[in-house]
Amino acid sequence: MSIRVGKTGNEAVAEAMRQINPDVVAAYPITPQTEIVQIFSSFVANGKVDTEFVTVESEHSAMSATVGAASAGARSMTATSANGLAFMWEIVYIAAGMRLPIVMPVVNRALSGPLNIHCDHSDTMGARDSGWIQLFSENAQEAYDNAVQAPRIAENPDVKLPVMVTMDGFIISHAMEVMEILEDEKVREFIGKYVPENPLLDVDNPVTLGPVDLQDWNFEHKRQQAEAMRNAKPVILDVASEYAKLTGRKYGLFEEYKLDDADIAIVVLGSTAGTAKVAVNALRAKGVRAGMLKMRVFRPFPAEEIADALKHVKAVAVMDRSDSFNAVGGPVFVDVRSALYDVDNGPKIVNYIYGIGGRDVTPDHVKTVYADLAKIAETGQVENPLTYLGIRE
Amino acid sequence: MSVPKDAGWKDVPKAGRILEPGSAAKYETGGWRTYRPVHIPENCINCLFCWIYCPDQAILVEDGKFKGIDYAYCKGCGICATECPGKRGNKALKMILDEEA
């Protein structure tokens, strides 16, 4: 039996961390993630978890201590946002390169500057090539569910990669929802006992981790890392399937919302998917065949599956909550368009950059995107390959 | 790391991990080399300057005489060939491109 509770996204993820009961958490506060580790530190202080909580002086140290703990053989977690993630940068890559199954909730916030604390995806999109698995969440329920599934994915012997679980800053992290959590023992049974690979603290089997790795073998180790990311895709689906048996909540690489018979569709990540569902429902009531593809797994990127899901659609809009500043389009757009390249007579595809720095996006905004798509589907002509949605012209 | 020379990316430990302690001697560093020294026995007077000056231990000596070069560790710095006095101005060590060896 699941337990129905009212929780904010931050509370939900802190609760997942309590149930995971990691051996080590090393973290530093940053808005809007602060509550996660603040709540978690109260669990530590009150003896609700067995975790060694390391208070550090910066995010660079937070990730460094997490890497050290994971290397020692501890199930290790941290959490951050925006500039905190940026400050971790060097060690974020090292965690993946050392193949350490760390789990890190990231509460999406605009990267400075100009200084802004509100939601966009510029922080985690910047880390899309860091070698971390990235799971995006539409709401607090999904953030919780992704957080509980993350250790199983990260620790799988065919994967052994760190996982970021993201949720939209404030929109999810600070908004209270009714959601379901599992009983503690069910989470612990689901994630299982952690058996670290080559732990430094196994003194009977001494190992060296992270030695210099030059021209002779570095390429091979990076090839292994690339393969691990490929292996992650079926593992994510297996873990989701097992989780569905436990909770009834089904997760895939992405969610298809009224996409089967759609003429026009948007691709979106995070909380805006909920907003878009309202728009899709309104359009469907008027007979418009609108659909949506909500990405859950951004890394590994499910290119073939996305191409298959979108191939019948006439016009697709990719919604990016960050800009690549590449003078082309956002990071999700570039990947989705690349995925569709081999589809014969595939959909017309356009990009919308929206919600930067927490700029609100409403169902009416999303409806204008569908209106643009309807025109493209009808005429076959793309006038604006890239639109800044909700900008003051 | 002690890995067979014909090993591929699927065969080696993840992430460069060294799972065998005390195995540094098995890690061959000669792969860094661009040039390699070659020995010309008729010009060698067995002064062993090469052995003294080699910054690694890549000059092999037996019974007080030059025996050979350990290419598994020789990094091709060329110090041995520079220091070699040779016989009547003809050096006993010369550097050639490794790929031409």
Side-chain angles (χ1 to χ4, degrees):
Chain A
M1 274 294 292
S2 293
I3 307 158
R4 275 175 85 76
V5 292
K7 285 200 183 295
T8 66
N10 278 346
E11 288 169 351
V13 166
E15 187 72 358
M17 288 174 70
R18 183 186 64 73
Q19 296 180 314
I20 292 166
N21 193 18
D23 299 312
V24 174
V25 169
Y28 191 82
I30 182 169
T31 301
Q33 162 273 148
T34 301
E35 273 184 331
I36 295 178
V37 289
Q38 175 250 312
I39 294 166
F40 188 79
S41 67
S42 73
F43 294 146
V44 176
N46 295 333
K48 304 280 189 197
V49 287
D50 307 308
T51 308
E52 183 77 28
F53 189 83
V54 188
T55 52
V56 287
E57 78 283 11
S58 75
E59 286 86 357
H60 190 277
S61 302
M63 185 51 77
S64 297
T66 308
V67 162
S71 301
R75 186 178 254 154
S76 307
M77 295 182 74
T78 182
T80 195
S81 285
N83 294 44
L85 179 61
F87 195 16
M88 283 179 180
W89 207 252
E90 177 189 18
I91 320 298
V92 168
Y93 276 73
I94 291 171
M98 287 182 68
R99 308 290 303 279
L100 299 171
I102 293 162
V103 173
M104 172 166 69
V106 180
V107 183
N108 287 119
R109 161 186 154 179
L111 263 182
S112 298
L115 177 62
N116 182 294
I117 59 167
H118 289 280
C119 175
D120 68 33
H121 295 162
S122 53
D123 50 4
T124 49
M125 281 299 156
R128 68 191 183 278
D129 294 341
S130 64
W132 284 59
I133 291 165
Q134 293 186 318
L135 307 178
F136 280 76
S137 319
E138 180 187 327
N139 49 40
Q141 181 74 65
E142 291 193 6
Y144 171 84
D145 291 339
N146 283 335
V148 173
Q149 291 173 70
R152 283 284 303 277
I153 299 164
E155 294 165 10
N156 184 287
D158 294 332
V159 180
K160 295 289 181 191
L161 288 175
V163 178
M164 277 180 209
V165 174
T166 84
M167 63 171 141
D168 286 356
F170 293 106
I171 302 163
I172 303 176
S173 67
H174 285 62
M176 190 166 286
E177 294 172 29
V178 175
M179 56 171 290
E180 289 183 2
I181 61 169
L182 288 161
E183 292 86 349
D184 292 0
E185 59 274 16
K186 285 203 174 152
V187 172
R188 287 181 192 172
E189 197 182 318
F190 181 76
I191 63 169
K193 185 175 155 44
Y194 179 46
V195 182
E197 191 180 58
N198 310 131
L200 286 173
L201 286 181
D202 179 3
V203 292
D204 295 326
N205 296 289
V207 295
T208 301
L209 304 185
V212 67
D213 192 23
L214 301 176
Q215 299 96 320
D216 48 357
W217 286 107
N218 186 278
F219 198 1
E220 281 70 27
H221 298 133
K222 288 292 157 187
R223 178 68 185 84
Q224 295 173 332
Q225 196 181 329
E227 195 68 8
M229 193 56 96
R230 285 183 181 87
N231 294 344
K233 211 157 61 172
V235 169
I236 289 166
L237 292 173
D238 287 348
V239 171
S241 151
E242 206 179 309
Y243 194 73
K245 281 179 202 143
L246 198 62
T247 62
R249 290 187 294 279
K250 296 191 174 87
Y251 290 96
L253 300 169
F254 46 80
E255 178 188 343
E256 295 172 64
Y257 190 74
K258 303 189 179 178
L259 193 58
D260 280 354
D261 64 341
D263 292 328
I264 52 177
I266 65 169
V267 175
V268 69
L269 298 80
S271 64
T272 309
T275 313
K277 284 173 184 170
V278 174
V280 169
N281 292 346
L283 291 167
R284 284 275 170 176
K286 290 181 187 168
V288 179
R289 292 204 294 190
M292 185 190 71
L293 188 152
K294 178 188 81 185
M295 295 206 62
R296 171 183 179 233
V297 180
F298 188 63
R299 288 292 182 266
F301 188 73
E304 290 162 22
E305 292 84 352
I306 283 178
D308 196 49
L310 293 176
K311 63 177 190 287
H312 65 283
V313 177
K314 290 177 184 159
V316 172
V318 179
M319 307 272 288
D320 267 290
R321 202 163 189 152
S322 65
D323 197 342
S324 272
F325 302 110
N326 56 7
V328 177
V332 188
F333 173 67
V334 169
D335 279 357
V336 172
R337 188 162 69 165
S338 167
L340 291 170
Y341 183 80
D342 291 327
V343 176
D344 292 330
N345 303 311
K348 296 283 180 189
I349 180 164
V350 290
N351 190 200
Y352 288 79
I353 289 175
Y354 77 100
I356 300 300
R359 175 64 52 85
D360 201 16
V361 61
T362 66
D364 283 343
H365 286 116
V366 182
K367 283 178 196 166
T368 69
V369 175
Y370 281 111
D372 293 348
L373 288 176
K375 198 176 161 197
I376 294 168
E378 191 189 325
T379 63
Q381 301 298 315
V382 172
E383 281 176 29
N384 300 309
L386 169 61
T387 304
Y388 294 90
L389 182 67
I391 194 85
R392 284 182 284 191
E393 293 290 354
Chain B
M1 190 172 56
S2 170
V3 177
K5 281 191 179 7
D6 60 351
W9 63 271
K10 291 175 187 165
D11 309 317
V12 295
K14 282 190 190 83
R17 293 173 190 168
I18 299 168
L19 307 182
E20 185 188 350
S23 59
K26 295 180 188 171
Y27 181 71
E28 298 185 355
T29 49
W32 304 358
R33 193 170 55 235
T34 303
Y35 290 89
R36 65 160 62 196
V38 290
H39 190 232
I40 304 159
E42 59 269 29
N43 296 338
C44 183
I45 59 171
N46 281 304
C47 65
L48 300 185
F49 275 19
C50 53
W51 176 73
I52 291 167
Y53 279 101
C54 176
D56 205 300
Q57 293 175 49
I59 303 293
L60 305 173
V61 171
E62 197 173 87
D63 298 331
K65 290 192 171 167
F66 180 97
K67 189 186 169 215
I69 298 161
D70 188 349
Y71 291 114
Y73 296 97
C74 169
K75 293 161 193 66
C77 69
I79 291 174
C80 57
T82 298
E83 296 300 332
C84 176
K87 192 187 279 179
R88 299 190 193 95
N90 296 315
K91 285 192 183 271
L93 287 163
K94 68 169 182 177
M95 302 301 289
I96 63 166
L97 268 173
D98 205 50
E99 65 211 38
E100 288 169 2

